[in-house]
Amino acid sequence: MLTIKRYPNRKFYDTEEKRYITLDDISEKIRAGREVQVVDQGSGEEITSVVLTQIIFEQEKKQSGFVPRSVLTGLVQAGGHTIGRMRRALSNPLEMLKQIDEEIEVRIDQLINQGELAEDEARRWREKLLSRNVQTTSQSELEEEQLQHLLAEHGVPTRSEIDSLTSQIDALLHELDELGKPTTSEE
């Protein structure tokens, strides 16, 4: 696991590469599959979840719609007392497919309302994108390059982004679980 130190001046230091790095660098390492731990250099406190949240926030500012609104709403609604339910929903692939399908429907409807997509074209995209129909459509029919471009253009996250987000949410949930544990220092 890569350890990154955050200094009081809010700079991040990569202990492997022996250099200062940015939030974007940390994000790239996570997307590449690296497991990171961020430690406050002064206190020694583990602050990975805070930094992961900061990365998500920065990505959302740069690329509005980076995180589907339904996911953000679910995180806020979950609060601290329904974390287990949220974790189960996110770990259930069928539930995740349902949420993705709902997000696709919302985005296609937005494109229609904005006049950027005609009804017949929207119908074709629904048939191609929605998971209930994907299994009957061959990959060559999807015109994958065009599809990826359209999805990226409209901010629909990729599978790897969803996987990365799920990993980040798991880390946040773990951190919340840890924060909720009673301390034994007052005995």
Side-chain angles (χ1 to χ4, degrees):
M1 178 184 304
L2 170 61
T3 299
I4 297 171
K5 293 183 180 180
R6 186 183 76 178
Y7 283 84
N9 61 2
R10 306 189 116 194
K11 288 188 176 183
F12 297 99
Y13 186 77
D14 182 326
T15 59
E16 279 182 7
E17 295 180 10
K18 309 282 190 234
R19 67 179 185 92
Y20 287 102
I21 61 174
T22 65
L23 280 175
D24 287 337
D25 295 329
I26 296 171
S27 178
E28 286 177 27
K29 289 177 185 302
I30 292 169
R31 284 192 182 103
R34 290 295 308 265
E35 191 172 337
V36 300
Q37 176 184 35
V38 183
V39 178
D40 183 89
Q41 190 274 335
S43 68
E45 178 185 359
E46 199 266 330
I47 57 169
T48 306
S49 295
V50 172
V51 173
L52 293 175
T53 304
Q54 195 174 1
I55 289 170
I56 292 169
F57 174 73
E58 292 299 323
Q59 287 294 323
E60 187 64 28
K61 276 184 9 184
K62 289 179 188 174
Q63 178 182 343
S64 184
F66 170 73
V67 180
R69 184 177 294 162
S70 61
V71 172
L72 293 173
T73 302
L75 283 171
V76 172
Q77 288 172 340
H81 55 283
T82 58
I83 295 300
R85 185 171 54 94
M86 179 103 176
R87 181 179 287 146
R88 283 189 301 277
L90 288 172
S91 66
N92 181 346
L94 294 176
E95 181 62 28
M96 183 62 89
L97 283 176
K98 179 182 172 200
Q99 289 178 356
I100 292 170
D101 283 353
E102 289 171 0
E103 189 64 27
I104 288 170
E105 288 282 359
V106 166
R107 301 247 176 152
I108 288 174
D109 289 343
Q110 287 174 343
L111 291 173
I112 292 169
N113 292 338
Q114 294 169 355
E116 294 181 33
L117 197 60
E119 286 287 340
D120 58 333
E121 189 177 358
R123 186 175 36 349
R124 283 196 317 270
W125 281 111
R126 280 187 175 101
E127 290 171 2
K128 290 179 180 183
L129 291 174
L130 296 177
S131 65
R132 63 184 175 263
N133 295 323
V134 169
Q135 64 234 15
T136 62
T137 308
S138 74
Q139 198 134 27
S140 62
E141 291 176 308
L142 290 179
E143 302 166 3
E144 193 165 326
E145 230 176 88
Q146 182 184 9
L147 177 63
Q148 287 176 353
H149 176 72
L150 181 65
L151 293 174
E153 189 177 290
H154 295 289
V156 176
T158 64
R159 166 84 50 208
S160 64
E161 290 171 333
I162 291 172
D163 291 344
S164 174
L165 180 60
T166 301
S167 297
Q168 292 172 10
I169 290 171
D170 285 343
L172 287 170
L173 295 175
H174 175 73
E175 185 66 23
L176 284 172
D177 289 345
E178 290 297 314
L179 289 173
K181 290 181 180 176
T183 60
T184 58
S185 60
E186 296 185 19
E187 291 182 1

